[in-house]
Amino acid sequence: MSSGNKLHNVVFVLGPPGSGKGTQCSRIQANLGFTHLSAGDLLRAERQRHGSEFGELIESHIRGGTIVPVEITCKLLENAMLASGDSAKGFLIDGFPRNQDNLDGWKRQMSDKVNVHFVLYLSAPIEVCVQRCLNRGQGRTDDNEESIQKRIVTYNEQTYPIIKHYEKQNMVREINGEKSADEVYAEVERIFQNAGFRHQA
Ligand code: UDP
Ligand code: MG
């Protein structure tokens, strides 16, 4: 990322836990040249980083399904954008902004550096999402019944209103995330193409 004044393309990817955000983002990264930045993965990496002053705080939010203060998350996102260099066509920001604090902090810190094109919203019934989280076997400390229930409450009470906020600005592109990964991805590509982002040969 240069220090010049070119705005960086951003697409936010939101949806309940287990809706397929990470899966679809990997494909978009591979096919469309976007750089995938998962806020949750960045927080998990910071939690593991030797000498991090935030490790315990992050772990307690992750287990409890609550949301880490935006100053921490937004800094991790910005650092990852800076580290990724100029080659990225844009950034897929997966699992963020998750509440009003995230949105306010992002706007304070990033609004003069980015162009947010749209919000990709993967919707899926909660029962499907819960089963996927329980079955995905990634060894996450929050993929247990108790944490999943808490994450869903947080999603419904805090994240869904952020999606509604962007809907009022006609910025939400919703896909039914219940279908197979291939079927969902076909629709994802159409949405990116309609926004002017082309498949890379
Ligand atoms: N999290 C957070 N802020 C973010 C993204 C994630 O605090 O911007 C925390 C939150 O506790 C969340 C957890 O990290 O429940 C896991 O997030 P992730 O996006 O990895 O979960 P997913 O939605 O993919 O299941
Ligand atoms: Mg994820």
Side-chain angles (χ1 to χ4, degrees):
M1 189 156 110
S2 74
S3 53
N5 45 23
K6 178 173 153 277
L7 296 182
H8 296 277
N9 296 323
V10 164
V11 171
F12 289 136
V13 184
L14 292 175
S19 56
K21 301 183 294 291
T23 303
Q24 295 300 323
C25 284
S26 306
R27 295 180 179 214
I28 301 165
Q29 173 166 270
N31 295 318
L32 297 169
F34 272 70
T35 296
H36 174 203
L37 299 179
S38 158
D41 288 350
L42 290 167
L43 288 166
R44 284 183 281 274
E46 176 65 18
R47 175 190 64 186
Q48 299 312 120
R49 187 174 63 81
H50 190 74
S52 169
E53 56 181 314
F54 302 122
E56 282 176 31
L57 176 82
I58 290 171
E59 177 58 13
S60 80
H61 281 289
I62 286 179
R63 262 182 206 275
T66 51
I67 296 168
V68 173
V70 68
E71 289 73 17
I72 298 173
T73 313
C74 200
K75 193 77 213 150
L76 293 171
L77 285 167
E78 189 177 8
N79 287 346
M81 289 171 75
L82 287 164
S84 105
D86 267 326
S87 60
K89 192 182 280 183
F91 296 95
L92 291 169
I93 302 202
D94 159 8
F96 179 94
R98 273 176 133 84
N99 66 0
Q100 190 65 42
D101 174 61
N102 279 183
L103 183 58
D104 294 343
W106 168 270
K107 285 187 175 161
R108 271 196 306 274
Q109 195 168 326
M110 301 302 286
S111 43
D112 55 346
K113 302 170 191 165
V114 297
N115 179 6
V116 178
H117 287 259
F118 58 91
V119 176
L120 184 67
Y121 167 36
L122 298 176
S123 58
I126 289 304
E127 320 80 69
V128 172
C129 292
V130 171
Q131 275 317 309
R132 286 180 180 172
C133 288
L134 290 173
N135 294 335
R136 68 184 164 187
Q138 293 172 345
R140 284 172 50 159
T141 60
D142 59 349
D143 276 349
N144 56 75
E145 290 272 5
E146 195 186 334
S147 292
I148 293 168
Q149 291 311 326
K150 291 177 177 167
R151 287 154 67 196
I152 287 166
V153 170
T154 301
Y155 173 79
N156 286 330
E157 291 180 352
Q158 300 188 47
T159 310
Y160 193 63
I162 302 302
I163 295 170
K164 288 279 148 200
H165 160 85
Y166 279 113
E167 232 163 47
K168 289 192 199 112
Q169 304 178 24
N170 286 320
M171 285 179 67
V172 175
R173 308 289 175 268
E174 180 175 354
I175 298 179
N176 176 1
E178 207 184 344
K179 299 184 209 163
S180 73
D182 286 345
E183 288 172 296
V184 174
Y185 185 69
E187 292 189 34
V188 166
E189 263 216 13
R190 267 201 294 281
I191 286 169
F192 277 79
Q193 272 164 12
N194 287 340
F197 298 109
R198 304 261 158 253
H199 190 98
Q200 297 193 319

